[in-house]
Amino acid sequence: MPLPFLTADRAFDEAADDAALPFDDRDQWRRPYRPGPWRVALAALILLLASYVLVATVITAFAGSRSAAVICLLVAVLVVLSALRLLRMGVWVSARGLRRVGFLTTSTAPWQQVVAVRTVQQPVRWLGLPRTVQGQALVLVRRDRAADAVPPLLTSHNSDFLARTEAFDRAADAVEVWADEYRLG
């Protein structure tokens, strides 16, 4: 049942949901798009697995094996942290630069090093797997690196934008606007 009232941080219509609010701090890192349904579904399944591991922890603790319960608890914490990291993955922007957050690595490019951010048509990985398909990619061209050395920031077939072409176009446009605003400003 949807609630009829609006809160201070909610927009009035769907089109304004992706726009930054005027009082937001531009120095904070923000993702200019929402995580996609594939990423959220995978994180939900991982959290479901974590709940089973936590139940196993409780059962093991009541059975009397404290060391096994501690190991189960550590596994559950690692599973929860991996789900949170999976949700954090993506492209983040701020007034300081552009940040690409991967599962294990994070790289930041200050705006002074950014030459261009553009959308190109190229073979892209399907859901991050080795299989490639023809799609669009948002690529970053840096002053200090070759264009081939930097992986694409966003692709039209990753877990955020698979079968959501409009969302990819909006996100790519938002990142390009941030790049144009801060690179030149």
Side-chain angles (χ1 to χ4, degrees):
M1 176 175 119
L3 300 175
F5 60 87
L6 297 173
T7 60
D9 61 343
R10 302 305 301 164
F12 287 94
D13 59 347
E14 292 296 322
D17 279 345
D18 293 334
L21 296 174
F23 55 84
D24 282 343
D25 184 13
R26 308 232 344 129
D27 287 331
Q28 282 187 332
W29 290 101
R30 72 182 69 236
R31 185 183 359 219
Y33 59 93
R34 292 184 177 156
W38 288 93
R39 184 178 309 279
V40 173
L42 183 59
L45 286 174
I46 291 172
L47 289 173
L48 182 66
L49 173 69
S51 69
Y52 287 120
V53 175
L54 285 171
V55 168
T57 302
V58 171
I59 291 171
T60 307
F62 283 131
S65 177
R66 301 278 184 222
S67 61
V70 168
I71 290 172
C72 283
L73 182 63
L74 290 176
V75 168
V77 167
L78 285 175
V79 170
V80 169
L81 290 176
S82 67
L84 293 176
R85 184 64 180 190
L86 181 69
L87 289 173
R88 183 132 173 88
M89 288 172 53
V91 175
W92 296 75
V93 292
S94 79
R96 291 174 282 185
L98 188 108
R99 180 174 285 173
R100 183 180 184 273
V101 178
F103 190 74
L104 296 175
T105 62
T106 298
S107 60
T108 303
W111 291 119
Q112 296 81 15
Q113 296 295 324
V114 174
V115 174
V117 177
R118 61 178 174 259
T119 306
V120 296
Q121 194 83 1
Q122 69 180 31
V124 295
R125 290 180 161 200
W126 184 77
L127 288 177
L129 299 171
R131 177 176 180 236
T132 59
V133 294
Q134 191 64 27
Q136 292 181 331
L138 184 69
V139 294
L140 170 67
V141 180
R142 294 180 59 160
R143 293 187 205 286
D144 57 347
R145 295 193 186 149
D148 299 349
V150 179
L153 298 172
L154 304 172
T155 66
S156 58
H157 288 78
N158 69 5
S159 58
D160 288 325
F161 303 111
L162 187 64
R164 297 176 57 220
T165 338
E166 301 84 19
F168 173 78
D169 292 337
R170 277 194 318 265
D173 289 345
V175 173
E176 288 173 357
V177 166
W178 273 80
D180 288 341
E181 181 179 340
Y182 285 105
R183 200 170 31 91
L184 302 174

